[in-house]
Amino acid sequence: MKSQLKEVSPTEREINLTIDAASLKDAYGKISQRFVKGANIPGFRKGYAPVDVVRLRYKEEIKQEVLQLLVPEKVSAAIVEHGLQPLSEPHLHIDDVENVKVNGSQDVELHVHVEVMPEIPEPKYKALELTRRVKPVDDSEIEDLIARRINEEAALVPVEGRASQEGDTVIADLEGTFADDPDAEPITAEDLEVKLGDELIEKSFTENLVGVKEDDEKEFTVSYPADFSSPALAGKTVHYRAKIKSVGILETPELNDEWAVALDEGYESLADLRAKLRADLEKLAESDADARLRNNAIAKLIEQNEFEVPNTLIENQARNLLNNFAQDLQQRGVDLNKVETNFIEMAYSQMRLQAERDVRGAILLEKVGDAEGVTVETAEVDEEIGKMAEYYRTEAAEMRKMFETQGGLANIENNLRTRKAIEALVAAAKVTDGPWVEESQPESEAAETEEKPKKAAKAKAPAKPRKTTKKAAGEE
């Protein structure tokens, strides 16, 4: 066997391989004799037909078996000979395979394409210029949190002597059937709370549930817009039947010092509550700033270190992302069998871009870890398992046993190594503090905000339904 190695690209090697005639002749003879023993050919007893007759009768079958016997063995030997570590199954090509002779009268030439990891030098990762930006806490964020907390403690007081009107909360058992698919599983919800007129509630629900009283039954139809927030309902028409259980008004506690103290969470007054909420939000903003800094560091690392990424690794990661996306759609009530093919293809093409970035970043962080001498000690793995056990409220020994059984300890170690590599990357960077920049504002405009930082956009506090089994039915 003779072989020559050729570099096609940084991630692909081609082996030009010659299977010698002597090896072919030996295999041809052995396989021919095996066919003779089992051949049923008219005019001859089983196993006694002349070998030349058998070779003529089973020409293609014998040829295939000879190649199947020799090619994998020779290819594996050539890969070892040239010290290659394939990332996927090699791709084989035999010139003029239809006319190839395997009887030992001539050599057989084939080409083997192998995908490999590229040679990546130590990346340029030191003194990356990064800006750390902390989002300022706006007073509206604090008031939103307080409003949500008050709404959580709101009590529903039944109305008497009148029908429902906007501003009331109607509690109903709901059942809905799809107009275009009556046999589909119906939408059901018990004790669904619908605040009439609320901007989060589909307008049709308010229009049809105004004027109802306790024990009323109401049937109505809702046609959801194509861009409705729930994919399972978007563009659908649903016939609903509602059994009204009660109509009431939500009464919330008065916002004062007494309410803040009554929360029994250590607040001395409403002002103290606001101060501590601000401290919590500022701490969260600091954590978010650190997370963005790490992400920006990885982005800069990728930007400054170009190299070819093996297609196999990109495909594997893209499939993982697509599977996660499909699971998310299922959890949101989407029937995957009804998803159009062009949508899947579009999603996959977008995920390939993200997958390439993910793989490129992982490879570079591995190199940074090597350059910085990053190691993970057994004690660190144990500590991580302990944190996970505490989170899932189980014993650390049981958690470790589970990981050992499922081969998950290596994943924990890899995650810790990646985390430490990112820490080393940020530590080696040139980090400066800068004003907050909204996501819609380009980084290049940051300097213009140095003197007058933009205020954080005021967030709107969503009303919080307290008990629904099908939120998507009435809420946008």
Side-chain angles (χ1 to χ4, degrees):
M1 180 189 76
K2 294 185 293 185
S3 67
Q4 291 182 331
L5 183 66
K6 175 184 177 183
E7 181 175 328
V8 179
S9 75
T11 62
E12 185 180 351
R13 302 292 185 271
E14 181 181 344
I15 303 174
N16 295 318
L17 181 63
T18 301
I19 301 179
D20 59 277
S23 298
L24 289 164
K25 183 177 181 180
D26 181 58
Y28 185 67
K30 291 178 180 177
I31 290 173
S32 295
Q33 289 300 321
R34 181 157 56 80
F35 269 78
V36 167
K37 293 178 181 179
N40 280 313
I41 299 177
F44 301 95
R45 286 185 298 162
K46 181 179 180 180
Y48 285 90
V51 66
D52 289 339
V53 174
V54 172
R55 284 171 173 170
L56 183 62
R57 180 68 177 269
Y58 298 102
K59 178 181 177 180
E60 290 302 318
E61 291 85 350
I62 292 174
K63 174 181 173 180
Q64 288 298 321
E65 293 214 15
V66 170
L67 292 176
Q68 289 173 7
L69 175 66
L70 290 179
V71 170
E73 173 190 335
K74 301 298 183 182
V75 168
S76 296
I79 288 173
V80 172
E81 176 188 347
H82 294 291
L84 301 180
Q85 295 181 321
L87 296 174
S88 60
E89 287 295 321
H91 295 282
L92 310 180
H93 172 68
I94 300 177
D95 293 332
D96 195 19
V97 66
E98 293 81 6
N99 297 314
V100 161
K101 292 181 173 60
V102 297
N103 59 4
S105 61
Q106 62 184 38
D107 296 341
V108 170
E109 305 285 340
L110 67 148
H111 309 280
V112 184
H113 294 270
V114 181
E115 193 171 24
V116 297
M117 285 293 294
E119 290 292 332
I120 303 173
E122 180 177 314
K124 295 176 287 185
Y125 70 93
K126 294 188 176 181
L128 296 178
E129 294 187 356
L130 303 173
T131 303
R132 183 176 183 272
R133 305 182 189 278
V134 181
K135 183 178 180 180
V137 176
D138 192 83
D139 289 343
S140 64
E141 297 177 68
I142 298 171
E143 298 309 315
D144 286 345
L145 290 176
I146 293 174
R148 291 174 190 171
R149 187 62 183 270
I150 282 185
N151 286 337
E152 288 174 1
E153 298 185 10
L156 187 65
V157 179
V159 300
E160 296 180 359
R162 66 171 177 83
S164 62
Q165 59 188 29
E166 285 202 24
D168 291 346
T169 295
V170 173
I171 298 181
D173 290 343
L174 198 70
E175 180 175 311
T177 57
F178 292 95
D180 61 346
D181 191 4
D183 296 328
E185 182 179 355
I187 298 171
T188 59
E190 294 182 355
D191 294 332
L192 179 69
E193 291 189 10
V194 182
K195 186 173 182 180
L196 304 181
D198 192 290
E199 62 181 11
L200 296 179
I201 299 299
E202 173 63 26
K203 187 177 179 181
S204 298
F205 274 73
T206 294
E207 293 173 348
N208 286 282
L209 294 179
V210 164
V212 298
K213 295 182 179 181
E214 185 176 341
D215 295 328
D216 282 356
E217 292 190 7
K218 185 70 178 287
E219 293 187 16
F220 57 95
T221 299
V222 176
S223 295
Y224 292 95
D227 60 351
F228 191 67
S229 58
S230 171
L233 295 174
K236 303 289 186 180
T237 297
V238 182
H239 300 307
Y240 285 108
R241 175 180 295 172
K243 169 68 175 177
I244 311 303
K245 301 180 78 171
S246 66
V247 177
I249 298 176
L250 285 175
E251 293 188 353
T252 57
E254 185 179 350
L255 182 62
N256 53 30
D257 290 342
E258 290 183 4
W259 172 77
V261 173
L263 292 174
D264 198 24
E265 296 177 10
Y267 303 121
E268 297 179 358
S269 63
L270 188 57
D272 183 42
L273 168 60
R274 288 192 170 101
K276 289 179 178 176
L277 287 177
R278 174 174 290 279
D280 290 341
L281 290 175
E282 289 175 346
K283 184 178 179 180
L284 181 60
E286 292 284 343
S287 297
D288 288 343
D290 290 337
R292 283 191 299 273
L293 183 66
R294 291 190 290 269
N295 289 336
N296 291 340
I298 296 172
K300 278 286 183 70
L301 178 68
I302 292 172
E303 178 185 326
Q304 297 194 11
N305 294 275
E306 285 288 336
F307 62 91
E308 185 175 328
V309 179
N311 187 63
T312 295
L313 301 183
I314 297 175
E315 291 286 344
N316 290 342
Q317 178 63 4
R319 280 194 292 270
N320 288 337
L321 293 174
L322 186 62
N323 288 336
N324 292 339
F325 179 60
Q327 291 175 5
D328 180 62
L329 289 178
Q330 280 185 313
Q331 291 173 356
R332 294 167 62 188
V334 176
D335 184 350
L336 297 183
N337 293 322
K338 296 181 180 179
V339 177
E340 296 182 2
T341 303
N342 60 351
F343 173 77
I344 297 175
E345 292 174 350
M346 179 187 68
Y348 184 73
S349 65
Q350 293 175 345
M351 288 171 185
R352 268 191 62 89
L353 299 175
Q354 180 62 41
E356 181 175 353
R357 182 188 182 281
D358 293 345
V359 173
R360 192 184 299 276
I363 293 173
L364 288 170
L365 286 172
E366 182 72 18
K367 287 290 184 179
V368 170
D370 291 341
E372 292 289 324
V374 171
T375 59
V376 177
E377 304 297 332
T378 302
E380 294 175 293
V381 175
D382 291 339
E383 182 180 356
E384 189 71 8
I385 292 174
K387 291 178 181 178
M388 296 174 70
E390 183 178 353
Y391 179 82
Y392 290 106
R393 297 182 180 181
T394 186
E395 295 294 328
E398 292 181 9
M399 184 69 71
R400 168 176 278 278
K401 184 178 179 180
M402 181 190 70
F403 281 119
E404 289 174 342
T405 302
Q406 300 178 357
L409 289 179
N411 288 336
I412 294 177
E413 185 173 342
N414 288 337
N415 290 340
L416 288 172
R417 177 179 167 81
T418 299
R419 190 186 306 169
K420 295 175 76 171
I422 295 173
E423 292 172 355
L425 175 66
V426 173
K430 182 181 178 182
V431 181
T432 57
D433 292 324
W436 172 250
V437 179
E438 294 292 345
E439 290 185 1
S440 59
Q441 178 185 5
E443 285 281 334
S444 59
E445 298 178 10
E448 300 177 13
T449 65
E450 192 73 47
E451 295 299 325
K452 298 174 69 175
K454 294 180 69 176
K455 288 185 67 177
K458 184 174 181 179
K460 183 180 292 184
K464 181 176 180 181
R466 291 194 298 282
K467 188 174 184 182
T468 65
T469 55
K470 279 286 180 178
K471 178 180 177 181
E475 291 190 21
E476 296 187 37

